[in-house]
Amino acid sequence: MNVLAILKDFTFRCKSVFENTTTKMSKRFLNWLVLTIRTVTLIPGKVNFTRLSRYGGRTAKTFASNFKASVDWIKVNSGIARDSIGCGDDIAIAIDPSFISKSGRLTYGIGRFWSGVAQRVKRGLEIMAVGAISLSKHTCVMLGAIQSPNFKTLETERGMSMLDWYISLVRSKADELLSLTDILVADAFFSKYEFINEVVAMGFRFVGRLRSNSYLKYLAIPDPSAPPRRGRKKMYGEKVDFSSLDMSVFTSFIYEDSKGIKTECHTAVVHSRAMKRDIRIVVCPVDNGEPVVYFSTDTEMAPERIIGFYRTRFQIEFGIRDAKQFTGLQSQQTRDKERLDFAFNLSFTTLNVCKEVIREDYPNLSVAQFKRLMFESYLASTIISTYGKSPHLKIIQKINQRLAQLAA
């Protein structure tokens, strides 16, 4: 492993990633963006304008001014997703609101939002994270992030609820997302009539989760031997009791997860009163607990895929976690709306590039180990540059060997 060549190889790989996308950028901006992604990757700890200036060789003002640029991040990351995980029925779009810690009073969008980690409402920012998940590869490519306004701004200025805002976000990006896949996955919060009705009208097939006390009805099965009667025919049967399923309607199958654990599950097409549509549900029993109920608006979708897509949805939460830990998602040094948007999406794009480089060149390293390797390469390059035109070869070899051991 040549530590001195790692930075150069990463820069080349990063440029090739952007050249493969259809997003148009000027050569000057592309070179600056590649430099910024490389700098974010090698910075240990927080990522802000001051530290970008210290490690990136540009002034903090230069970084701050370029963070005002407009970039179609979902288009850029969609190109990365196609190269990494492909597209089609094996892929689904996952969405997940995420809380971002932020102090102060003048930052755009600051308010009180739900924090899943703290399990309570906290003061800060919120973004809607969008990712492409792969069922076969069990991974996620982060496509982008869109910041949410606070509740007061939505209600007073736009007359919208937070759910209406989420619907508008999906609608604004629907064409680009549908070019990847028409399967949309989200957690139980989005299993509401207003949201599902809108996304299905956009052309998506929705996969989600229901509460175990959801009001569902069996579809009526016509009796061919019954005499014909006047009036409207009966459409639905009895209410679904999850503690005592009608096995003449449900079909049982064995689901085996990625860890080899087998579970007997049951599936059927039923009617949801809340969603006002027929859906396919999959009931997975839980020892000493209420069963887990997954569903899809596509009644023809295989039940194994419904379970697989929903469980793979958790990969987007791992992507958010990694971006917070390694690429500065939660350490923005700005209060401006455009700069915040650039910082959030830069964090996700940097994470995608890191994972792509790791997948191609360093399959045995984690993101944390790769960042340390990049930082040690930066240190080695800085040390070597101080030797002048004719550095001592043996010293270089010792440094090279030592830094490779540190990063292993």
Side-chain angles (χ1 to χ4, degrees):
M1 181 187 296
N2 187 356
V3 176
L4 300 178
I6 292 173
L7 286 180
K8 185 177 180 180
D9 292 343
F10 182 86
T11 303
F12 175 79
R13 180 81 65 176
C14 189
K15 282 186 177 181
S16 65
V17 166
F18 284 100
E19 289 172 355
N20 291 335
T21 65
T22 57
T23 305
K24 295 182 179 178
M25 299 180 186
S26 65
K27 186 176 181 179
R28 182 204 65 83
F29 182 78
L30 178 59
N31 291 334
W32 175 85
L33 184 59
V34 170
L35 169 68
T36 305
I37 290 176
R38 191 188 75 170
T39 307
V40 171
T41 303
L42 64 87
I43 289 179
K46 291 185 176 181
V47 178
N48 51 43
F49 294 143
T50 302
R51 294 175 67 81
L52 283 171
S53 174
R54 183 179 302 165
Y55 289 91
R58 303 291 189 273
T59 64
K61 186 176 181 180
T62 300
F63 283 106
S65 61
N66 280 297
F67 268 49
K68 296 279 285 187
S70 177
V71 178
D72 191 346
W73 294 103
I74 289 186
K75 196 172 184 179
V76 170
N77 291 309
S78 294
I80 299 176
R82 286 187 177 91
D83 292 338
S84 178
I85 60 177
C87 57
D89 287 342
D90 183 60
I91 309 302
I93 302 298
I95 58 174
D96 189 41
S98 178
F99 177 80
I100 304 295
S101 297
K102 187 72 172 178
S103 58
R105 295 179 298 171
L106 302 179
T107 303
Y108 170 79
I110 196 160
R112 298 185 64 82
F113 298 96
W114 174 260
S115 170
V117 176
Q119 287 295 300
R120 63 183 178 89
V121 174
K122 293 179 63 178
R123 182 173 174 80
L125 307 177
E126 183 188 77
I127 59 171
M128 169 65 82
V130 184
I133 59 174
S134 171
L135 189 59
S136 60
K137 297 182 179 179
H138 206 68
T139 187
C140 176
V141 175
M142 306 303 295
L143 298 180
I146 307 170
Q147 187 181 354
S148 302
N150 57 48
F151 290 106
K152 291 184 179 179
T153 301
L154 283 176
E155 292 178 357
T156 58
E157 298 183 6
R158 309 191 186 189
M160 301 171 67
S161 66
M162 190 58 73
L163 188 63
D164 294 332
W165 170 253
Y166 294 150
I167 293 172
S168 69
L169 294 186
V170 178
R171 184 182 294 111
S172 65
K173 304 297 181 182
D175 292 340
E176 296 171 355
L177 298 179
L178 285 169
S179 66
L180 282 175
T181 179
D182 64 346
I183 301 174
L184 181 67
V185 188
D187 62 19
F189 171 82
F190 294 92
S191 300
K192 296 179 173 64
Y193 169 75
E194 296 82 3
F195 184 85
I196 292 176
N197 188 56
E198 290 292 335
V199 298
V200 170
M202 296 174 201
F204 290 102
R205 293 178 287 167
F206 186 81
V207 175
R209 181 176 170 179
L210 294 174
R211 296 170 57 182
S212 59
N213 61 350
S214 299
Y215 195 100
L216 306 174
K217 283 188 174 183
Y218 293 104
L219 302 183
I221 302 176
D223 185 2
S225 62
R229 295 183 178 180
R230 298 178 60 185
R232 184 181 179 183
K233 294 183 179 180
K234 187 177 181 180
M235 299 180 63
Y236 311 114
E238 299 296 325
K239 179 183 176 182
V240 177
D241 182 3
F242 291 107
S243 63
S244 179
L245 298 176
D246 185 352
M247 298 312 298
S248 65
V249 178
F250 278 86
T251 302
S252 299
F253 65 98
I254 302 297
Y255 177 77
E256 184 175 355
D257 61 17
S258 58
K259 297 181 179 179
I261 301 175
K262 296 181 179 180
T263 307
E264 183 181 15
C265 303
H266 316 286
T267 181
V269 177
V270 298
H271 181 79
S272 170
R273 185 175 68 175
M275 300 180 200
K276 303 179 183 179
R277 66 173 63 245
D278 295 343
I279 58 175
R280 175 168 291 280
I281 64 170
V282 182
V283 182
C284 298
V286 177
D287 295 337
N288 301 322
E290 296 180 341
V292 180
V293 184
Y294 307 104
F295 79 96
S296 172
T297 57
D298 180 8
T299 57
E300 300 298 323
M301 184 177 291
E304 295 86 356
R305 287 166 56 80
I306 296 175
I307 300 175
F309 276 127
Y310 190 85
R311 292 186 178 181
T312 308
R313 183 198 69 84
F314 286 96
Q315 292 296 319
I316 192 175
E317 299 188 7
F318 298 148
I320 295 170
R321 177 204 63 188
D322 291 343
K324 287 181 178 180
Q325 289 181 351
F326 304 122
T327 57
L329 181 63
Q330 203 161 233
S331 57
Q332 308 80 21
Q333 191 183 9
T334 182
R335 298 175 298 188
D336 182 76
K337 177 182 178 181
E338 287 77 17
R339 291 192 180 102
L340 282 171
D341 179 77
F342 194 98
F344 293 142
N345 286 281
L346 176 69
S347 176
F348 283 152
T349 303
T350 302
L351 180 64
N352 290 338
V353 174
C354 288
K355 288 185 175 181
E356 188 68 11
V357 173
I358 291 171
R359 182 177 67 87
E360 293 288 339
D361 300 331
Y362 310 97
N364 296 324
L365 296 184
S366 65
V367 178
Q369 290 172 325
F370 179 70
K371 275 185 66 72
R372 186 170 62 178
L373 186 66
M374 288 285 289
F375 176 67
E376 301 294 353
S377 179
Y378 170 80
L379 285 182
S381 300
T382 303
I383 293 171
I384 296 302
S385 65
T386 62
Y387 286 131
K389 295 182 179 180
S390 302
H392 199 286
L393 183 59
K394 290 185 178 180
I395 296 178
I396 293 177
Q397 291 175 346
K398 287 183 178 180
I399 294 175
N400 194 353
Q401 182 179 3
R402 178 55 179 160
L403 294 181
Q405 293 173 350
L406 290 174

mmCIF file of all heavy atoms in Angstrom, residues 53-92:
data_model
loop_
_atom_site.group_PDB
_atom_site.id
_atom_site.type_symbol
_atom_site.label_atom_id
_atom_site.label_comp_id
_atom_site.label_asym_id
_atom_site.label_seq_id
_atom_site.Cartn_x
_atom_site.Cartn_y
_atom_site.Cartn_z
ATOM 1 N N SER A 53 -10.467 25.304 5.497
ATOM 2 C CA SER A 53 -9.393 26.207 5.098
ATOM 3 C C SER A 53 -8.036 25.680 5.554
ATOM 4 O O SER A 53 -7.038 25.753 4.821
ATOM 5 C CB SER A 53 -9.646 27.598 5.682
ATOM 6 O OG SER A 53 -8.557 28.453 5.436
ATOM 7 N N ARG A 54 -7.983 25.113 6.757
ATOM 8 C CA ARG A 54 -6.724 24.630 7.313
ATOM 9 C C ARG A 54 -6.174 23.437 6.533
ATOM 10 O O ARG A 54 -4.963 23.337 6.302
ATOM 11 C CB ARG A 54 -6.946 24.238 8.769
ATOM 12 C CG ARG A 54 -5.687 23.784 9.510
ATOM 13 C CD ARG A 54 -6.036 23.451 10.953
ATOM 14 N NE ARG A 54 -6.629 24.602 11.621
ATOM 15 C CZ ARG A 54 -7.292 24.526 12.774
ATOM 16 N NH1 ARG A 54 -7.471 23.352 13.351
ATOM 17 N NH2 ARG A 54 -7.807 25.609 13.319
ATOM 18 N N TYR A 55 -7.050 22.534 6.099
ATOM 19 C CA TYR A 55 -6.607 21.322 5.410
ATOM 20 C C TYR A 55 -6.725 21.407 3.891
ATOM 21 O O TYR A 55 -6.104 20.609 3.183
ATOM 22 C CB TYR A 55 -7.420 20.106 5.894
ATOM 23 C CG TYR A 55 -7.108 19.676 7.300
ATOM 24 C CD1 TYR A 55 -7.819 20.194 8.381
ATOM 25 C CD2 TYR A 55 -6.106 18.750 7.555
ATOM 26 C CE1 TYR A 55 -7.544 19.800 9.677
ATOM 27 C CE2 TYR A 55 -5.826 18.345 8.854
ATOM 28 C CZ TYR A 55 -6.544 18.869 9.906
ATOM 29 O OH TYR A 55 -6.273 18.476 11.199
ATOM 30 N N GLY A 56 -7.525 22.352 3.398
ATOM 31 C CA GLY A 56 -7.803 22.381 1.969
ATOM 32 C C GLY A 56 -6.975 23.358 1.164
ATOM 33 O O GLY A 56 -7.037 23.354 -0.067
ATOM 34 N N GLY A 57 -6.234 24.226 1.824
ATOM 35 C CA GLY A 57 -5.384 25.154 1.092
ATOM 36 C C GLY A 57 -6.123 26.305 0.450
ATOM 37 O O GLY A 57 -5.592 26.983 -0.440
ATOM 38 N N ARG A 58 -7.364 26.564 0.837
ATOM 39 C CA ARG A 58 -8.145 27.713 0.369
ATOM 40 C C ARG A 58 -8.614 28.495 1.591
ATOM 41 O O ARG A 58 -8.674 27.959 2.692
ATOM 42 C CB ARG A 58 -9.353 27.281 -0.472
ATOM 43 C CG ARG A 58 -9.033 26.427 -1.689
ATOM 44 C CD ARG A 58 -8.302 27.227 -2.764
ATOM 45 N NE ARG A 58 -8.190 26.444 -3.996
ATOM 46 C CZ ARG A 58 -7.215 25.598 -4.251
ATOM 47 N NH1 ARG A 58 -6.272 25.374 -3.329
ATOM 48 N NH2 ARG A 58 -7.164 24.942 -5.398
ATOM 49 N N THR A 59 -8.980 29.739 1.388
ATOM 50 C CA THR A 59 -9.449 30.537 2.516
ATOM 51 C C THR A 59 -10.857 30.112 2.912
ATOM 52 O O THR A 59 -11.612 29.552 2.093
ATOM 53 C CB THR A 59 -9.446 32.031 2.163
ATOM 54 O OG1 THR A 59 -10.384 32.266 1.104
ATOM 55 C CG2 THR A 59 -8.065 32.488 1.736
ATOM 56 N N ALA A 60 -11.210 30.410 4.153
ATOM 57 C CA ALA A 60 -12.559 30.096 4.619
ATOM 58 C C ALA A 60 -13.604 30.861 3.811
ATOM 59 O O ALA A 60 -14.703 30.357 3.553
ATOM 60 C CB ALA A 60 -12.687 30.435 6.110
ATOM 61 N N LYS A 61 -13.255 32.068 3.383
ATOM 62 C CA LYS A 61 -14.180 32.868 2.575
ATOM 63 C C LYS A 61 -14.446 32.209 1.222
ATOM 64 O O LYS A 61 -15.568 32.267 0.701
ATOM 65 C CB LYS A 61 -13.610 34.270 2.379
ATOM 66 C CG LYS A 61 -14.555 35.230 1.689
ATOM 67 C CD LYS A 61 -13.959 36.623 1.611
ATOM 68 C CE LYS A 61 -14.925 37.588 0.933
ATOM 69 N NZ LYS A 61 -14.367 38.960 0.853
ATOM 70 N N THR A 62 -13.416 31.592 0.642
ATOM 71 C CA THR A 62 -13.587 30.894 -0.631
ATOM 72 C C THR A 62 -14.559 29.735 -0.485
ATOM 73 O O THR A 62 -15.473 29.553 -1.316
ATOM 74 C CB THR A 62 -12.236 30.377 -1.145
ATOM 75 O OG1 THR A 62 -11.355 31.477 -1.338
ATOM 76 C CG2 THR A 62 -12.405 29.614 -2.447
ATOM 77 N N PHE A 63 -14.401 28.960 0.569
ATOM 78 C CA PHE A 63 -15.323 27.851 0.800
ATOM 79 C C PHE A 63 -16.735 28.370 1.053
ATOM 80 O O PHE A 63 -17.706 27.822 0.513
ATOM 81 C CB PHE A 63 -14.847 27.008 1.982
ATOM 82 C CG PHE A 63 -13.699 26.102 1.660
ATOM 83 C CD1 PHE A 63 -12.418 26.381 2.108
ATOM 84 C CD2 PHE A 63 -13.894 24.960 0.902
ATOM 85 C CE1 PHE A 63 -11.348 25.552 1.807
ATOM 86 C CE2 PHE A 63 -12.827 24.118 0.593
ATOM 87 C CZ PHE A 63 -11.557 24.414 1.044
ATOM 88 N N ALA A 64 -16.858 29.413 1.856
ATOM 89 C CA ALA A 64 -18.184 29.942 2.176
ATOM 90 C C ALA A 64 -18.899 30.465 0.935
ATOM 91 O O ALA A 64 -20.104 30.247 0.757
ATOM 92 C CB ALA A 64 -18.062 31.045 3.222
ATOM 93 N N SER A 65 -18.183 31.134 0.063
ATOM 94 C CA SER A 65 -18.809 31.683 -1.145
ATOM 95 C C SER A 65 -19.213 30.579 -2.114
ATOM 96 O O SER A 65 -20.273 30.645 -2.749
ATOM 97 C CB SER A 65 -17.856 32.662 -1.836
ATOM 98 O OG SER A 65 -16.657 32.011 -2.231
ATOM 99 N N ASN A 66 -18.402 29.525 -2.234
ATOM 100 C CA ASN A 66 -18.741 28.425 -3.133
ATOM 101 C C ASN A 66 -19.870 27.553 -2.594
ATOM 102 O O ASN A 66 -20.530 26.840 -3.366
ATOM 103 C CB ASN A 66 -17.510 27.552 -3.396
ATOM 104 C CG ASN A 66 -16.584 28.154 -4.435
ATOM 105 O OD1 ASN A 66 -16.953 28.335 -5.589
ATOM 106 N ND2 ASN A 66 -15.377 28.499 -4.021
ATOM 107 N N PHE A 67 -20.114 27.596 -1.294
ATOM 108 C CA PHE A 67 -21.218 26.841 -0.720
ATOM 109 C C PHE A 67 -22.570 27.445 -1.101
ATOM 110 O O PHE A 67 -23.614 26.858 -0.796
ATOM 111 C CB PHE A 67 -21.087 26.783 0.813
ATOM 112 C CG PHE A 67 -20.341 25.576 1.309
ATOM 113 C CD1 PHE A 67 -19.126 25.222 0.759
ATOM 114 C CD2 PHE A 67 -20.849 24.784 2.323
ATOM 115 C CE1 PHE A 67 -18.421 24.113 1.203
ATOM 116 C CE2 PHE A 67 -20.167 23.670 2.780
ATOM 117 C CZ PHE A 67 -18.949 23.333 2.216
ATOM 118 N N LYS A 68 -22.567 28.598 -1.764
ATOM 119 C CA LYS A 68 -23.804 29.213 -2.238
ATOM 120 C C LYS A 68 -24.214 28.659 -3.601
ATOM 121 O O LYS A 68 -25.295 28.969 -4.115
ATOM 122 C CB LYS A 68 -23.632 30.722 -2.346
ATOM 123 C CG LYS A 68 -23.381 31.439 -1.023
ATOM 124 C CD LYS A 68 -24.662 31.692 -0.262
ATOM 125 C CE LYS A 68 -25.450 32.817 -0.884
ATOM 126 N NZ LYS A 68 -26.623 33.184 -0.053
ATOM 127 N N ALA A 69 -23.354 27.854 -4.217
ATOM 128 C CA ALA A 69 -23.612 27.350 -5.567
ATOM 129 C C ALA A 69 -24.799 26.385 -5.563
ATOM 130 O O ALA A 69 -25.083 25.702 -4.574
ATOM 131 C CB ALA A 69 -22.368 26.647 -6.116
ATOM 132 N N SER A 70 -25.489 26.337 -6.692
ATOM 133 C CA SER A 70 -26.628 25.438 -6.859
ATOM 134 C C SER A 70 -26.190 24.187 -7.620
ATOM 135 O O SER A 70 -25.652 24.280 -8.722
ATOM 136 C CB SER A 70 -27.751 26.150 -7.619
ATOM 137 O OG SER A 70 -28.831 25.279 -7.845
ATOM 138 N N VAL A 71 -26.407 23.015 -7.020
ATOM 139 C CA VAL A 71 -26.025 21.742 -7.618
ATOM 140 C C VAL A 71 -27.219 20.787 -7.536
ATOM 141 O O VAL A 71 -27.894 20.723 -6.501
ATOM 142 C CB VAL A 71 -24.806 21.116 -6.895
ATOM 143 C CG1 VAL A 71 -24.449 19.765 -7.505
ATOM 144 C CG2 VAL A 71 -23.613 22.052 -6.928
ATOM 145 N N ASP A 72 -27.493 20.083 -8.614
ATOM 146 C CA ASP A 72 -28.552 19.079 -8.609
ATOM 147 C C ASP A 72 -27.983 17.803 -7.994
ATOM 148 O O ASP A 72 -27.548 16.887 -8.681
ATOM 149 C CB ASP A 72 -29.051 18.825 -10.031
ATOM 150 C CG ASP A 72 -30.325 17.986 -10.050
ATOM 151 O OD1 ASP A 72 -30.662 17.390 -8.998
ATOM 152 O OD2 ASP A 72 -30.989 17.934 -11.100
ATOM 153 N N TRP A 73 -28.018 17.734 -6.673
ATOM 154 C CA TRP A 73 -27.361 16.653 -5.950
ATOM 155 C C TRP A 73 -28.012 15.303 -6.212
ATOM 156 O O TRP A 73 -27.316 14.271 -6.299
ATOM 157 C CB TRP A 73 -27.357 16.962 -4.454
ATOM 158 C CG TRP A 73 -26.534 18.136 -4.081
ATOM 159 C CD1 TRP A 73 -26.976 19.388 -3.768
ATOM 160 C CD2 TRP A 73 -25.101 18.193 -3.981
ATOM 161 N NE1 TRP A 73 -25.919 20.211 -3.485
ATOM 162 C CE2 TRP A 73 -24.753 19.501 -3.601
ATOM 163 C CE3 TRP A 73 -24.085 17.262 -4.176
ATOM 164 C CZ2 TRP A 73 -23.443 19.912 -3.408
ATOM 165 C CZ3 TRP A 73 -22.779 17.653 -3.986
ATOM 166 C CH2 TRP A 73 -22.456 18.965 -3.606
ATOM 167 N N ILE A 74 -29.332 15.274 -6.316
ATOM 168 C CA ILE A 74 -30.000 13.999 -6.552
ATOM 169 C C ILE A 74 -29.606 13.438 -7.910
ATOM 170 O O ILE A 74 -29.409 12.225 -8.062
ATOM 171 C CB ILE A 74 -31.531 14.169 -6.442
ATOM 172 C CG1 ILE A 74 -31.921 14.394 -4.979
ATOM 173 C CG2 ILE A 74 -32.264 12.968 -7.016
ATOM 174 C CD1 ILE A 74 -33.399 14.427 -4.714
ATOM 175 N N LYS A 75 -29.419 14.307 -8.893
ATOM 176 C CA LYS A 75 -28.975 13.848 -10.207
ATOM 177 C C LYS A 75 -27.547 13.316 -10.134
ATOM 178 O O LYS A 75 -27.217 12.300 -10.751
ATOM 179 C CB LYS A 75 -29.073 15.001 -11.212
ATOM 180 C CG LYS A 75 -29.016 14.582 -12.658
ATOM 181 C CD LYS A 75 -29.322 15.754 -13.569
ATOM 182 C CE LYS A 75 -29.360 15.306 -15.027
ATOM 183 N NZ LYS A 75 -29.680 16.442 -15.925
ATOM 184 N N VAL A 76 -26.679 14.008 -9.389
ATOM 185 C CA VAL A 76 -25.296 13.555 -9.229
ATOM 186 C C VAL A 76 -25.246 12.199 -8.543
ATOM 187 O O VAL A 76 -24.594 11.252 -9.000
ATOM 188 C CB VAL A 76 -24.481 14.593 -8.424
ATOM 189 C CG1 VAL A 76 -23.117 14.030 -8.042
ATOM 190 C CG2 VAL A 76 -24.317 15.879 -9.222
ATOM 191 N N ASN A 77 -25.963 12.090 -7.418
ATOM 192 C CA ASN A 77 -25.912 10.847 -6.648
ATOM 193 C C ASN A 77 -26.680 9.712 -7.312
ATOM 194 O O ASN A 77 -26.396 8.535 -7.057
ATOM 195 C CB ASN A 77 -26.446 11.094 -5.232
ATOM 196 C CG ASN A 77 -25.516 11.977 -4.413
ATOM 197 O OD1 ASN A 77 -24.329 11.718 -4.319
ATOM 198 N ND2 ASN A 77 -26.057 13.037 -3.830
ATOM 199 N N SER A 78 -27.657 10.043 -8.165
ATOM 200 C CA SER A 78 -28.335 9.001 -8.929
ATOM 201 C C SER A 78 -27.359 8.309 -9.871
ATOM 202 O O SER A 78 -27.438 7.096 -10.085
ATOM 203 C CB SER A 78 -29.513 9.587 -9.711
ATOM 204 O OG SER A 78 -30.525 10.055 -8.846
ATOM 205 N N GLY A 79 -26.432 9.101 -10.456
ATOM 206 C CA GLY A 79 -25.399 8.497 -11.291
ATOM 207 C C GLY A 79 -24.502 7.559 -10.504
ATOM 208 O O GLY A 79 -24.132 6.484 -10.984
ATOM 209 N N ILE A 80 -24.155 7.967 -9.272
ATOM 210 C CA ILE A 80 -23.352 7.092 -8.405
ATOM 211 C C ILE A 80 -24.130 5.825 -8.074
ATOM 212 O O ILE A 80 -23.582 4.715 -8.064
ATOM 213 C CB ILE A 80 -22.951 7.836 -7.125
ATOM 214 C CG1 ILE A 80 -22.094 9.065 -7.455
ATOM 215 C CG2 ILE A 80 -22.206 6.919 -6.163
ATOM 216 C CD1 ILE A 80 -21.746 9.914 -6.249
ATOM 217 N N ALA A 81 -25.446 5.978 -7.810
ATOM 218 C CA ALA A 81 -26.275 4.822 -7.462
ATOM 219 C C ALA A 81 -26.357 3.837 -8.624
ATOM 220 O O ALA A 81 -26.296 2.619 -8.416
ATOM 221 C CB ALA A 81 -27.672 5.290 -7.053
ATOM 222 N N ARG A 82 -26.489 4.350 -9.844
ATOM 223 C CA ARG A 82 -26.578 3.447 -11.004
ATOM 224 C C ARG A 82 -25.288 2.654 -11.175
ATOM 225 O O ARG A 82 -25.329 1.468 -11.516
ATOM 226 C CB ARG A 82 -26.878 4.256 -12.265
ATOM 227 C CG ARG A 82 -28.311 4.763 -12.348
ATOM 228 C CD ARG A 82 -28.591 5.407 -13.697
ATOM 229 N NE ARG A 82 -29.975 5.833 -13.797
ATOM 230 C CZ ARG A 82 -30.413 7.037 -13.465
ATOM 231 N NH1 ARG A 82 -29.552 7.941 -13.008
ATOM 232 N NH2 ARG A 82 -31.686 7.348 -13.585
ATOM 233 N N ASP A 83 -24.150 3.308 -10.947
ATOM 234 C CA ASP A 83 -22.878 2.597 -11.079
ATOM 235 C C ASP A 83 -22.658 1.606 -9.937
ATOM 236 O O ASP A 83 -22.030 0.560 -10.119
ATOM 237 C CB ASP A 83 -21.716 3.602 -11.114
ATOM 238 C CG ASP A 83 -21.729 4.449 -12.379
ATOM 239 O OD1 ASP A 83 -22.333 4.010 -13.371
ATOM 240 O OD2 ASP A 83 -21.147 5.550 -12.362
ATOM 241 N N SER A 84 -23.164 1.938 -8.755
ATOM 242 C CA SER A 84 -22.885 1.134 -7.569
ATOM 243 C C SER A 84 -23.872 -0.013 -7.384
ATOM 244 O O SER A 84 -23.477 -1.156 -7.143
ATOM 245 C CB SER A 84 -22.875 2.023 -6.322
ATOM 246 O OG SER A 84 -22.660 1.272 -5.154
ATOM 247 N N ILE A 85 -25.186 0.294 -7.484
ATOM 248 C CA ILE A 85 -26.199 -0.722 -7.176
ATOM 249 C C ILE A 85 -27.156 -0.971 -8.321
ATOM 250 O O ILE A 85 -28.041 -1.831 -8.218
ATOM 251 C CB ILE A 85 -27.004 -0.336 -5.911
ATOM 252 C CG1 ILE A 85 -27.714 1.008 -6.114
ATOM 253 C CG2 ILE A 85 -26.106 -0.286 -4.695
ATOM 254 C CD1 ILE A 85 -28.581 1.420 -4.929
ATOM 255 N N GLY A 86 -27.034 -0.223 -9.420
ATOM 256 C CA GLY A 86 -27.892 -0.435 -10.571
ATOM 257 C C GLY A 86 -29.253 0.216 -10.399
ATOM 258 O O GLY A 86 -29.438 1.134 -9.592
ATOM 259 N N CYS A 87 -30.237 -0.264 -11.157
ATOM 260 C CA CYS A 87 -31.601 0.252 -11.050
ATOM 261 C C CYS A 87 -32.566 -0.866 -11.455
ATOM 262 O O CYS A 87 -32.167 -1.886 -11.999
ATOM 263 C CB CYS A 87 -31.791 1.488 -11.924
ATOM 264 S SG CYS A 87 -31.421 1.239 -13.669
ATOM 265 N N GLY A 88 -33.862 -0.657 -11.179
ATOM 266 C CA GLY A 88 -34.852 -1.680 -11.511
ATOM 267 C C GLY A 88 -35.601 -2.162 -10.293
ATOM 268 O O GLY A 88 -35.665 -1.484 -9.252
ATOM 269 N N ASP A 89 -36.178 -3.378 -10.386
ATOM 270 C CA ASP A 89 -37.022 -3.904 -9.312
ATOM 271 C C ASP A 89 -36.244 -4.283 -8.058
ATOM 272 O O ASP A 89 -36.843 -4.521 -7.013
ATOM 273 C CB ASP A 89 -37.793 -5.130 -9.813
ATOM 274 C CG ASP A 89 -38.914 -4.747 -10.773
ATOM 275 O OD1 ASP A 89 -39.300 -3.568 -10.768
ATOM 276 O OD2 ASP A 89 -39.385 -5.625 -11.520
ATOM 277 N N ASP A 90 -34.923 -4.387 -8.169
ATOM 278 C CA ASP A 90 -34.110 -4.706 -6.988
ATOM 279 C C ASP A 90 -33.851 -3.469 -6.134
ATOM 280 O O ASP A 90 -33.361 -3.566 -5.027
ATOM 281 C CB ASP A 90 -32.776 -5.315 -7.438
ATOM 282 C CG ASP A 90 -31.909 -5.742 -6.268
ATOM 283 O OD1 ASP A 90 -32.373 -6.595 -5.483
ATOM 284 O OD2 ASP A 90 -30.797 -5.215 -6.128
ATOM 285 N N ILE A 91 -34.206 -2.291 -6.655
ATOM 286 C CA ILE A 91 -33.900 -1.016 -6.002
ATOM 287 C C ILE A 91 -35.193 -0.377 -5.495
ATOM 288 O O ILE A 91 -36.252 -0.524 -6.097
ATOM 289 C CB ILE A 91 -33.199 -0.053 -6.985
ATOM 290 C CG1 ILE A 91 -32.014 -0.749 -7.656
ATOM 291 C CG2 ILE A 91 -32.719 1.206 -6.268
ATOM 292 C CD1 ILE A 91 -30.972 -1.267 -6.704
ATOM 293 N N ALA A 92 -35.094 0.328 -4.387
ATOM 294 C CA ALA A 92 -36.215 1.105 -3.862
ATOM 295 C C ALA A 92 -35.701 2.441 -3.348
ATOM 296 O O ALA A 92 -34.533 2.570 -2.973
ATOM 297 C CB ALA A 92 -36.931 0.348 -2.744
#
